[in-house]
Amino acid sequence: QAQLEESGGGLVQAGGSLRLSCVASGRTLSTSDTAWFRQAPGKEREFVARIPPGGGPIYADSVKGRFTISRDYRKNTVFLQMNNLKVEDTAVYYCRARLGSTYDLWGQGTQVTVSS
């Protein structure tokens, strides 16, 4: 059974940094369309960052210049480096991996809380 597991969330002061990790089991990320989404209380889940296979990274305007998505094929892991965090970045962050219509996997989410 394929599974995604996020880690690295926590409490951080505004202006600080966190690095989220998402480890895939049962699937390899090298051929997957991988992305990060987030959902704040009372809001819909929104796109944060994406890195498709063989393509360059894509970012939401709200995080462009502050967040970086990357992959480590040896560790089968996708990362989200978050710098200059703002209070409005507070949300549950979810990892996603897709391969056409073959699979569309989501992690359980990891909480990121940014304090003022």
Side-chain angles (χ1 to χ4, degrees), residues 6-54:
E6 299 105 330
S7 63
L11 176 64
V12 66
Q13 186 79 14
S17 299
L18 285 173
R19 188 179 73 163
L20 306 183
S21 300
C22 175
V23 179
S25 60
R27 303 287 183 185
T28 60
L29 295 179
S30 61
T31 59
S32 299
D33 190 338
T34 56
W36 289 92
F37 290 74
R38 67 187 182 188
Q39 187 168 19
K43 299 179 66 177
E44 295 183 352
R45 189 169 299 185
E46 66 175 349
F47 167 78
V48 175
R50 174 192 179 203
I51 183 166

Side-chain angles (χ1 to χ4, degrees), residues 3-10 19-25 35-39 45 76-80 92-97 105-112:
Q3 186 177 23
L4 301 178
E5 184 174 359
E6 299 105 330
S7 63
R19 188 179 73 163
L20 306 183
S21 300
C22 175
V23 179
S25 60
W36 289 92
F37 290 74
R38 67 187 182 188
Q39 187 168 19
R45 189 169 299 185
N76 207 30
T77 302
V78 60
F79 302 96
L80 184 67
V92 177
Y93 283 71
Y94 298 91
C95 179
R96 186 188 190 184
L105 305 176
W106 293 84
Q108 83 290 341
T110 184
Q111 177 70 49
V112 172

